[in-house]
């Protein structure tokens, strides 16, 4: 189909001819015609004045109609949702547990250099390893009690060692268990150094701890650079 349009601006006139391709309207199928007929009939009844009820047709377009009330699937949906949540809760708990463990390990790594350095300083001041250990743990406990520092897993494990020794567990075993509970290679090495001191004497212990403190600070700087 061709169509022409006149465009006028002042004294200028331009004719533009446009071509269109026209298609016949889509012929509705039986289902569409049935739904359209139902809608038309319901609207006709609804638009009548004084209508309180609408009578649903029993026949339309040669089809017999059967009507039923639509039931809610809310109960089934709630049940399904409960089953899904029951399946997901263990996964979520494992994820939270892994996150807590990762955070604990990160804190242990960050606390290690300062802890070893404190031990080396107290030993250099003339304290025995057990006295230095107890002093560090008790100072931390007092700060925690006053709310002056957050919970620090390495120092919490040191307090556990103090309680174990007071309850009669051997000092060497308490140090070894400390390293195992921390679950970090550096803490196992630190615990082994202290345990060896009990077996072989304290000769060279201070030098070993000072070297360990220096190495741990260097490793901490390298880690910080890597994260940066």
């Amino acid at each position: 189909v061709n169509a022409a349009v006149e465009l006028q601006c002042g004294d200028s006139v331009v004719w533009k001819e446009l071509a269109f391709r026209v298609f016949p309207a889509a012929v509705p199928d039986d289902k569409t015609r049935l739904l359209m007929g139902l809608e038309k009939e319901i609207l006709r009844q609804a638009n009548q004045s004084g209508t309180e009820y609408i009578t649903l047709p029993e026949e339309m377009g040669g089809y017999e109609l059967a009507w039923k009330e639509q039931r809610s699937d809310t109960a089934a949906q709630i049940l399904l949702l409960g089953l899904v949540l029951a399946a997901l809760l263990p996964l979520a708990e494992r994820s939270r547990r892994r996150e807590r463990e990762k955070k604990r390990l990160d804190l242990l790594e960050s606390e290690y250099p300062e802890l070893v350095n404190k031990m080396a300083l107290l030993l250099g001041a003339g304290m025995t390893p057990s006295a230095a250990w107890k002093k560090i743990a008790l100072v931390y406990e007092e700060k925690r009690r006053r709310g002056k520092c957050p919970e620090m897993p390495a120092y919490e494990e040191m307090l556990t060692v103090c309680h174990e020794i007071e309850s009669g567990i051997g000092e060497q075993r308490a140090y070894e268990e400390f390293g195992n509970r921390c679950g970090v290679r550096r803490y196992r090495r630190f615990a082994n150094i202290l345990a060896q001191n009990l077996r072989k004497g304290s000769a060279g212990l201070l030098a070993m701890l000072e070297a360990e403190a220096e190495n741990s600070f260097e490793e901490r700087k390298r880690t910080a650079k890597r994260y940066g």
Side-chain angles (χ1 to χ4, degrees):
V1 176
N2 293 327
V5 60
E6 177 183 337
L7 305 175
Q8 183 175 354
C9 180
D11 297 332
S12 300
V13 178
V14 176
W15 281 86
K16 182 72 175 179
E17 189 174 275
L18 305 173
F20 298 91
R21 179 173 294 177
V22 181
F23 296 91
V27 178
D29 56 17
D30 291 347
K31 181 179 178 180
T32 303
R33 285 198 298 270
L34 176 62
L35 294 175
M36 291 171 62
L38 284 172
E39 183 179 10
K40 183 177 180 181
E41 174 62 20
I42 291 172
L43 288 175
R44 183 189 65 79
Q45 293 188 45
N47 291 331
Q48 290 178 351
S49 60
T51 301
E52 295 183 6
Y53 302 97
I54 292 176
T55 303
L56 299 174
E58 297 180 356
E59 186 273 337
M60 178 69 65
Y63 292 96
E64 291 186 2
L65 305 179
W67 300 89
K68 64 179 179 179
E69 183 178 357
Q70 184 176 2
R71 295 183 178 180
S72 173
D73 293 332
T74 303
Q77 292 171 355
I78 292 175
L79 177 61
L80 179 61
L81 179 61
L83 293 174
V84 172
L85 289 175
L88 292 179
L89 280 175
L91 297 176
E93 179 57 31
R94 281 199 293 270
S95 177
R96 287 193 292 269
R97 191 161 55 245
R98 284 195 298 267
E99 186 64 28
R100 288 195 298 268
E101 181 61 21
K102 182 180 182 303
K103 182 178 180 181
R104 176 179 175 273
L105 291 176
D106 289 342
L107 287 172
L108 284 168
E109 290 284 359
S110 66
E111 293 163 8
Y112 183 76
E114 182 180 357
L115 187 154
V116 178
N117 190 56
K118 286 179 180 179
M119 282 289 294
L121 289 174
L122 292 176
L123 290 177
M127 278 192 173
T128 63
S130 58
W133 183 284
K134 187 173 183 180
K135 180 176 179 61
I136 293 171
L138 294 181
V139 168
Y140 162 76
E141 185 178 39
E142 181 64 18
K143 287 183 178 180
R144 280 284 291 147
R145 188 180 65 80
R146 295 183 179 183
K148 292 185 176 181
C149 73
E151 182 175 327
M152 304 171 76
Y155 293 88
E156 291 290 333
E157 294 295 347
M158 291 185 74
L159 281 172
T160 301
V161 170
C162 293
H163 299 324
E164 287 178 342
I165 294 174
E166 289 173 359
S167 66
I169 294 178
E171 191 174 342
Q172 178 179 333
R173 180 185 168 190
Y175 291 146
E176 292 171 349
E177 291 297 325
F178 164 81
N180 293 331
R181 284 195 307 271
C182 290
V184 178
R185 177 177 53 82
R186 295 200 250 182
Y187 283 88
R188 292 193 186 97
R189 186 170 63 235
F190 177 49
N192 287 334
I193 291 173
L194 295 176
Q196 287 176 10
N197 162 71
L198 294 173
R199 292 194 299 266
K200 300 179 181 179
S202 59
L205 175 62
L206 178 58
M208 293 173 66
L209 287 180
E210 288 175 343
E212 181 69 15
E214 183 177 353
N215 291 336
S216 64
F217 273 115
E218 290 299 322
E219 189 172 343
R220 183 175 179 179
K221 287 193 289 185
R222 288 194 296 269
T223 302
K225 289 180 180 178
R226 186 165 63 251
Y227 279 124

